[in-house]
Amino acid sequence: MTPHPALSPASGLIGTWRGDGRGEYPTIDSFEYTEEVTFTEVGKPFLLYVQKTWSPEGTPMHTETGYLRVTDGSALEFVLSQPTGQTELAEGTLIPAADGFSCELHSRVMSSASAKQVDETRRTIELAGDVLTTSFAMAAVGVPMTHHLASEMCRVS
Amino acid sequence: MTPHPALSPASGLIGTWRGDGRGEYPTIDSFEYTEEVTFTEVGKPFLLYVQKTWSPEGTPMHTETGYLRVTDGSALEFVLSQPTGQTELAEGTLIPAADGFSCELHSRVMSSASAKQVDETRRTIELAGDVLTTSFAMAAVGVPMTHHLASEMCRVS
Protein backbone atom coordinates (compact mmCIF):
# COMPACT_ATOMS: atom_id res chain seq x y z
CA MET A 1 0.00 0.00 0.00
CA THR A 2 1.35 3.45 -0.82
CA PRO A 3 1.47 5.61 2.32
CA HIS A 4 -0.84 8.61 2.39
CA PRO A 5 1.09 11.60 0.94
CA ALA A 6 0.67 13.58 4.20
CA LEU A 7 2.87 10.99 5.92
CA SER A 8 5.82 11.44 3.62
CA PRO A 9 7.98 13.51 6.06
CA ALA A 10 7.70 10.68 8.61
CA SER A 11 7.34 7.67 6.31
CA GLY A 12 10.79 6.42 7.36
CA LEU A 13 9.15 5.33 10.62
CA ILE A 14 6.94 2.74 8.92
CA GLY A 15 8.01 -0.70 10.09
CA THR A 16 9.04 -2.51 13.26
CA TRP A 17 11.89 -1.38 15.52
CA ARG A 18 13.59 -3.23 18.35
CA GLY A 19 16.33 -2.36 20.81
CA ASP A 20 17.26 -1.62 24.39
CA GLY A 21 16.35 1.11 26.80
CA ARG A 22 17.05 2.36 30.29
CA GLY A 23 14.61 3.93 32.74
CA GLU A 24 15.17 6.09 35.78
CA TYR A 25 13.14 8.48 37.92
CA PRO A 26 13.62 9.96 41.37
CA THR A 27 10.83 7.82 42.86
CA ILE A 28 11.94 4.40 41.53
CA ASP A 29 14.96 2.13 41.03
CA SER A 30 16.61 2.42 37.63
CA PHE A 31 15.93 -0.41 35.20
CA GLU A 32 16.84 -1.80 31.77
CA TYR A 33 14.37 -2.98 29.17
CA THR A 34 13.89 -4.27 25.65
CA GLU A 35 11.53 -2.22 23.48
CA GLU A 36 9.64 -3.00 20.29
CA VAL A 37 7.77 -0.33 18.37
CA THR A 38 5.64 -0.74 15.26
CA PHE A 39 4.37 2.07 13.03
CA THR A 40 1.80 0.70 10.57
CA GLU A 41 0.33 2.59 7.66
CA VAL A 42 -3.26 1.89 6.66
CA GLY A 43 -3.66 4.18 3.65
CA LYS A 44 -4.88 7.09 5.79
CA PRO A 45 -3.01 10.22 6.97
CA PHE A 46 -1.87 8.61 10.22
CA LEU A 47 0.28 5.71 11.38
CA LEU A 48 -0.96 3.15 13.89
CA TYR A 49 1.55 2.93 16.76
CA VAL A 50 2.03 -0.02 19.11
CA GLN A 51 4.84 -0.13 21.67
CA LYS A 52 5.83 -2.95 24.02
CA THR A 53 8.65 -3.36 26.52
CA TRP A 54 10.05 -6.35 28.36
CA SER A 55 12.38 -6.81 31.31
CA PRO A 56 15.83 -8.30 30.57
CA GLU A 57 14.32 -11.64 31.72
CA GLY A 58 11.56 -11.36 29.09
CA THR A 59 8.66 -10.38 31.37
CA PRO A 60 6.18 -8.01 29.67
CA MET A 61 6.44 -4.53 31.17
CA HIS A 62 4.83 -1.49 29.58
CA THR A 63 2.74 -1.21 26.45
CA GLU A 64 1.08 1.79 24.82
CA THR A 65 -0.82 2.42 21.63
CA GLY A 66 -2.16 5.23 19.51
CA TYR A 67 -1.69 7.17 16.30
CA LEU A 68 0.96 9.42 14.79
CA ARG A 69 -0.45 12.20 12.62
CA VAL A 70 1.51 14.49 10.29
CA THR A 71 -0.13 17.76 9.32
CA ASP A 72 1.03 20.80 7.36
CA GLY A 73 4.17 18.95 6.26
CA SER A 74 6.02 19.25 9.56
CA ALA A 75 3.62 19.13 12.52
CA LEU A 76 3.66 15.80 14.37
CA GLU A 77 0.72 14.88 16.59
CA PHE A 78 1.12 11.75 18.69
CA VAL A 79 -2.22 10.59 20.15
CA LEU A 80 -1.54 8.03 22.89
CA SER A 81 -3.28 5.71 25.34
CA GLN A 82 -1.56 4.15 28.32
CA PRO A 83 -2.98 1.05 30.06
CA THR A 84 -1.80 2.67 33.29
CA GLY A 85 -4.74 5.08 32.94
CA GLN A 86 -3.33 8.09 31.12
CA THR A 87 -3.97 9.60 27.72
CA GLU A 88 -1.27 11.75 26.21
CA LEU A 89 -1.51 14.24 23.35
CA ALA A 90 2.04 15.04 22.22
CA GLU A 91 2.70 17.71 19.61
CA GLY A 92 5.89 19.01 18.01
CA THR A 93 7.63 20.12 14.84
CA LEU A 94 9.50 17.66 12.66
CA ILE A 95 13.01 18.83 11.72
CA PRO A 96 14.43 17.04 8.66
CA ALA A 97 17.92 15.56 9.13
CA ALA A 98 20.28 13.31 7.19
CA ASP A 99 18.33 10.16 6.32
CA GLY A 100 15.57 10.98 8.78
CA PHE A 101 14.32 13.66 11.15
CA SER A 102 14.16 14.69 14.75
CA CYS A 103 11.19 15.95 16.73
CA GLU A 104 10.63 17.16 20.27
CA LEU A 105 7.04 16.66 21.34
CA HIS A 106 5.36 18.41 24.27
CA SER A 107 2.38 16.63 25.77
CA ARG A 108 -0.80 17.38 27.56
CA VAL A 109 -1.83 14.43 29.77
CA MET A 110 -5.05 13.27 31.40
CA SER A 111 -4.91 10.73 34.24
CA SER A 112 -7.85 8.55 35.33
CA ALA A 113 -9.20 8.58 38.89
CA SER A 114 -7.23 5.47 39.92
CA ALA A 115 -4.03 6.21 37.97
CA LYS A 116 -0.81 7.84 39.02
CA GLN A 117 -1.07 11.57 38.29
CA VAL A 118 1.07 12.50 35.27
CA ASP A 119 0.99 16.25 34.63
CA GLU A 120 3.04 16.73 31.48
CA THR A 121 5.55 14.83 29.32
CA ARG A 122 8.28 15.54 26.78
CA ARG A 123 9.20 13.03 24.08
CA THR A 124 11.98 13.09 21.52
CA ILE A 125 12.03 10.95 18.38
CA GLU A 126 15.15 10.82 16.21
CA LEU A 127 15.21 8.79 13.04
CA ALA A 128 18.52 8.27 11.22
CA GLY A 129 18.29 5.58 8.58
CA ASP A 130 17.64 2.27 10.33
CA VAL A 131 18.17 3.64 13.84
CA LEU A 132 15.35 5.08 15.93
CA THR A 133 16.26 6.86 19.16
CA THR A 134 13.62 7.94 21.68
CA SER A 135 13.53 9.69 25.01
CA PHE A 136 10.75 10.43 27.46
CA ALA A 137 10.60 12.85 30.39
CA MET A 138 7.66 13.56 32.65
CA ALA A 139 6.34 15.72 35.44
CA ALA A 140 4.46 13.24 37.59
CA VAL A 141 3.56 12.27 41.17
CA GLY A 142 4.80 15.63 42.44
CA VAL A 143 8.18 15.50 40.63
CA PRO A 144 8.91 18.35 38.14
CA MET A 145 9.84 17.54 34.52
CA THR A 146 12.58 14.88 34.81
CA HIS A 147 14.15 12.42 32.37
CA HIS A 148 12.59 8.94 32.63
CA LEU A 149 13.29 6.74 29.58
CA ALA A 150 15.80 6.50 26.71
CA SER A 151 16.01 3.81 24.05
CA GLU A 152 17.80 3.07 20.82
CA MET A 153 16.20 0.67 18.37
CA CYS A 154 17.12 -0.75 14.98
CA ARG A 155 14.78 -1.61 12.14
CA VAL A 156 13.77 -5.29 12.14
CA SER A 157 11.24 -5.05 9.31
CA MET B 1 -4.84 -17.35 29.71
CA THR B 2 -6.93 -16.64 32.81
CA PRO B 3 -8.09 -13.01 32.87
CA HIS B 4 -6.68 -10.85 35.65
CA PRO B 5 -9.10 -11.08 38.64
CA ALA B 6 -9.70 -7.30 38.56
CA LEU B 7 -11.37 -7.73 35.16
CA SER B 8 -13.96 -10.20 36.35
CA PRO B 9 -16.93 -7.71 36.43
CA ALA B 10 -16.27 -6.93 32.74
CA SER B 11 -14.80 -10.23 31.56
CA GLY B 12 -17.91 -10.89 29.45
CA LEU B 13 -16.53 -8.30 27.02
CA ILE B 14 -13.48 -10.40 26.12
CA GLY B 15 -13.77 -11.41 22.47
CA THR B 16 -14.73 -9.94 19.12
CA TRP B 17 -18.09 -8.27 18.41
CA ARG B 18 -19.63 -7.28 15.10
CA GLY B 19 -22.82 -5.55 14.08
CA ASP B 20 -24.43 -2.47 12.63
CA GLY B 21 -24.65 1.13 13.70
CA ARG B 22 -26.16 4.44 12.78
CA GLY B 23 -24.62 7.89 13.09
CA GLU B 24 -26.15 11.34 13.15
CA TYR B 25 -25.16 14.83 14.27
CA PRO B 26 -26.51 18.30 13.57
CA THR B 27 -23.50 19.19 11.39
CA ILE B 28 -23.47 16.10 9.11
CA ASP B 29 -25.67 13.79 7.06
CA SER B 30 -26.83 10.67 8.90
CA PHE B 31 -25.07 7.44 7.97
CA GLU B 32 -25.07 3.69 8.54
CA TYR B 33 -22.01 1.60 9.34
CA THR B 34 -20.72 -1.84 10.24
CA GLU B 35 -18.68 -1.99 13.45
CA GLU B 36 -16.22 -4.52 14.82
CA VAL B 37 -14.86 -4.31 18.34
CA THR B 38 -12.26 -6.52 20.00
CA PHE B 39 -11.47 -6.65 23.72
CA THR B 40 -8.30 -8.68 24.29
CA GLU B 41 -6.96 -9.76 27.65
CA VAL B 42 -3.22 -10.00 28.12
CA GLY B 43 -2.98 -11.25 31.72
CA LYS B 44 -2.93 -7.73 33.15
CA PRO B 45 -5.71 -5.69 34.83
CA PHE B 46 -6.84 -4.09 31.57
CA LEU B 47 -8.29 -5.14 28.23
CA LEU B 48 -6.79 -3.99 24.93
CA TYR B 49 -9.55 -2.39 22.83
CA VAL B 50 -9.57 -2.03 19.05
CA GLN B 51 -12.59 -0.70 17.15
CA LYS B 52 -13.14 -0.41 13.40
CA THR B 53 -16.09 0.71 11.30
CA TRP B 54 -16.90 0.39 7.62
CA SER B 55 -19.42 1.98 5.30
CA PRO B 56 -22.22 -0.26 3.95
CA GLU B 57 -20.04 -0.56 0.78
CA GLY B 58 -17.11 -1.87 2.85
CA THR B 59 -14.94 1.26 2.85
CA PRO B 60 -12.96 1.67 6.10
CA MET B 61 -14.33 4.57 8.12
CA HIS B 62 -13.38 5.18 11.76
CA THR B 63 -11.00 3.28 13.99
CA GLU B 64 -9.99 3.84 17.59
CA THR B 65 -7.87 2.01 20.12
CA GLY B 66 -7.04 2.01 23.80
CA TYR B 67 -7.52 0.17 27.07
CA LEU B 68 -10.41 -0.67 29.37
CA ARG B 69 -9.49 -0.72 33.04
CA VAL B 70 -11.62 -2.02 35.92
CA THR B 71 -10.78 -0.78 39.39
CA ASP B 72 -12.40 -1.22 42.79
CA GLY B 73 -14.75 -3.87 41.40
CA SER B 74 -17.07 -1.48 39.59
CA ALA B 75 -15.18 1.56 38.24
CA LEU B 76 -14.62 1.44 34.48
CA GLU B 77 -11.88 3.59 32.94
CA PHE B 78 -11.75 3.68 29.15
CA VAL B 79 -8.48 5.20 27.88
CA LEU B 80 -8.85 6.02 24.18
CA SER B 81 -6.92 7.37 21.20
CA GLN B 82 -8.59 8.61 18.03
CA PRO B 83 -6.68 8.89 14.73
CA THR B 84 -8.70 12.06 14.16
CA GLY B 85 -6.48 13.72 16.79
CA GLN B 86 -8.38 13.33 20.05
CA THR B 87 -7.67 11.44 23.24
CA GLU B 88 -10.58 10.53 25.44
CA LEU B 89 -10.59 9.46 29.08
CA ALA B 90 -14.02 7.99 29.84
CA GLU B 91 -14.96 6.96 33.36
CA GLY B 92 -18.10 5.45 34.83
CA THR B 93 -19.60 2.92 37.22
CA LEU B 94 -20.43 -0.59 36.08
CA ILE B 95 -23.94 -1.71 37.04
CA PRO B 96 -24.37 -5.51 36.99
CA ALA B 97 -27.38 -6.78 35.02
CA ALA B 98 -28.76 -10.13 33.85
CA ASP B 99 -25.93 -11.88 32.01
CA GLY B 100 -23.87 -8.69 31.73
CA PHE B 101 -23.74 -5.11 32.88
CA SER B 102 -24.38 -1.55 31.81
CA CYS B 103 -22.18 1.48 32.22
CA GLU B 104 -22.49 5.16 31.39
CA LEU B 105 -19.08 6.76 30.91
CA HIS B 106 -18.38 10.49 31.04
CA SER B 107 -15.27 11.62 29.18
CA ARG B 108 -12.72 14.32 29.29
CA VAL B 109 -11.29 14.96 25.81
CA MET B 110 -8.13 16.57 24.44
CA SER B 111 -8.01 17.65 20.79
CA SER B 112 -4.80 18.25 18.82
CA ALA B 113 -4.03 21.56 17.12
CA SER B 114 -5.23 20.36 13.69
CA ALA B 115 -8.21 18.27 14.90
CA LYS B 116 -11.87 19.09 15.21
CA GLN B 117 -12.50 20.40 18.71
CA VAL B 118 -14.34 17.82 20.82
CA ASP B 119 -15.16 19.15 24.28
CA GLU B 120 -16.77 16.24 26.07
CA THR B 121 -18.35 12.84 25.31
CA ARG B 122 -20.77 10.36 26.87
CA ARG B 123 -20.59 6.65 26.11
CA THR B 124 -22.87 3.83 27.15
CA ILE B 125 -21.91 0.16 27.06
CA GLU B 126 -24.52 -2.53 27.66
CA LEU B 127 -23.57 -6.18 27.68
CA ALA B 128 -26.33 -8.81 27.75
CA GLY B 129 -25.00 -12.27 26.99
CA ASP B 130 -23.78 -12.29 23.41
CA VAL B 131 -25.16 -8.83 22.56
CA LEU B 132 -23.15 -5.65 23.04
CA THR B 133 -24.97 -2.33 22.64
CA THR B 134 -23.11 0.98 22.55
CA SER B 135 -23.95 4.63 22.21
CA PHE B 136 -21.86 7.77 21.91
CA ALA B 137 -22.80 11.42 22.34
CA MET B 138 -20.51 14.42 22.14
CA ALA B 139 -20.25 18.15 22.62
CA ALA B 140 -18.10 19.20 19.67
CA VAL B 141 -17.50 21.90 17.06
CA GLY B 142 -19.75 24.29 18.99
CA VAL B 143 -22.69 21.84 19.36
CA PRO B 144 -23.77 21.00 22.94
CA MET B 145 -23.90 17.35 24.10
CA THR B 146 -25.86 15.56 21.33
CA HIS B 147 -26.35 11.92 20.39
CA HIS B 148 -23.98 10.83 17.60
CA LEU B 149 -23.63 7.01 17.32
CA ALA B 150 -25.54 3.86 18.31
CA SER B 151 -24.64 0.28 17.49
CA GLU B 152 -25.67 -3.26 18.36
CA MET B 153 -23.14 -6.03 17.94
CA CYS B 154 -23.16 -9.79 18.46
CA ARG B 155 -20.28 -11.95 19.62
CA VAL B 156 -18.37 -13.51 16.74
CA SER B 157 -15.57 -15.05 18.84
Side-chain angles (χ1 to χ4, degrees), chain A residues 44 46 48 51 60-67 69 71 77 79-89 91 108-115, chain B residues 44 46 48 51 60-67 69 71 77 79-89 91 108-115:
Chain A
K44 296 205 171 189
F46 59 81
L48 172 62
Q51 185 254 28
M61 291 173 67
H62 187 65
T63 183
E64 61 190 33
T65 186
Y67 304 96
R69 291 158 53 89
T71 64
E77 299 177 347
V79 185
L80 296 167
S81 296
Q82 313 281 351
T84 43
Q86 295 88 12
T87 73
E88 197 181 334
L89 189 51
E91 298 176 89
R108 291 172 277 158
V109 181
M110 297 191 298
S111 305
S112 70
S114 73
Chain B
K44 296 204 170 190
F46 59 83
L48 172 62
Q51 185 255 26
M61 293 174 64
H62 187 65
T63 184
E64 59 189 35
T65 185
Y67 303 97
R69 292 158 52 89
T71 63
E77 299 178 348
V79 185
L80 296 167
S81 296
Q82 312 280 353
T84 45
Q86 295 87 12
T87 73
E88 198 182 332
L89 189 51
E91 300 176 87
R108 291 172 277 159
V109 181
M110 298 191 297
S111 305
S112 71
S114 73

Side-chain angles (χ1 to χ4, degrees), chain B residues 33-152:
Chain B
Y33 59 92
T34 299
E35 181 171 14
E36 189 175 284
V37 160
T38 303
F39 289 97
T40 306
E41 72 92 12
V42 295
K44 296 204 170 190
F46 59 83
L47 298 175
L48 172 62
Y49 164 78
V50 177
Q51 185 255 26
K52 295 178 185 179
T53 65
W54 294 265
S55 74
E57 297 74 34
T59 306
M61 293 174 64
H62 187 65
T63 184
E64 59 189 35
T65 185
Y67 303 97
L68 186 73
R69 292 158 52 89
V70 186
T71 63
D72 296 330
S74 66
L76 282 197
E77 299 178 348
F78 213 179
V79 185
L80 296 167
S81 296
Q82 312 280 353
T84 45
Q86 295 87 12
T87 73
E88 198 182 332
L89 189 51
E91 300 176 87
T93 301
L94 180 155
I95 298 169
D99 208 12
F101 67 87
S102 68
C103 187
E104 181 174 325
L105 300 124
H106 291 215
S107 304
R108 291 172 277 159
V109 181
M110 298 191 297
S111 305
S112 71
S114 73
K116 284 188 183 164
Q117 181 68 39
V118 179
D119 298 317
E120 204 183 339
T121 74
R122 300 273 187 280
R123 288 174 181 257
T124 62
I125 298 175
E126 290 180 27
L127 174 68
D130 287 337
V131 178
L132 179 62
T133 307
T134 76
S135 74
F136 178 88
M138 62 181 178
V141 296
V143 177
M145 186 63 66
T146 301
H147 174 73
H148 179 36
L149 303 170
S151 68
E152 186 176 298

Side-chain angles (χ1 to χ4, degrees), chain A:
Chain A
M1 199 181 293
T2 306
H4 191 285
L7 294 173
S8 132
S11 62
L13 290 174
I14 297 169
T16 299
W17 306 81
R18 195 173 173 102
D20 294 320
R22 179 179 166 81
E24 56 196 285
Y25 207 66
T27 55
I28 57 170
D29 292 333
S30 297
F31 58 97
E32 313 278 333
Y33 59 92
T34 298
E35 180 171 15
E36 188 175 285
V37 160
T38 303
F39 289 97
T40 306
E41 72 93 13
V42 295
K44 296 205 171 189
F46 59 81
L47 298 175
L48 172 62
Y49 165 77
V50 177
Q51 185 254 28
K52 295 178 185 180
T53 65
W54 295 265
S55 74
E57 296 74 35
T59 307
M61 291 173 67
H62 187 65
T63 183
E64 61 190 33
T65 186
Y67 304 96
L68 186 73
R69 291 158 53 89
V70 187
T71 64
D72 295 331
S74 66
L76 282 197
E77 299 177 347
F78 213 178
V79 185
L80 296 167
S81 296
Q82 313 281 351
T84 43
Q86 295 88 12
T87 73
E88 197 181 334
L89 189 51
E91 298 176 89
T93 302
L94 180 154
I95 298 170
D99 209 11
F101 68 86
S102 68
C103 188
E104 181 175 325
L105 301 125
H106 291 215
S107 304
R108 291 172 277 158
V109 181
M110 297 191 298
S111 305
S112 70
S114 73
K116 284 188 184 165
Q117 181 68 37
V118 179
D119 298 318
E120 204 182 338
T121 74
R122 299 274 186 277
R123 288 175 181 257
T124 63
I125 299 175
E126 289 181 28
L127 175 68
D130 287 337
V131 178
L132 179 63
T133 307
T134 76
S135 74
F136 178 88
M138 63 180 177
V141 296
V143 177
M145 186 63 67
T146 301
H147 174 73
H148 178 37
L149 303 169
S151 67
E152 186 176 298
M153 292 172 275
C154 293
R155 181 186 294 281
V156 294
S157 72

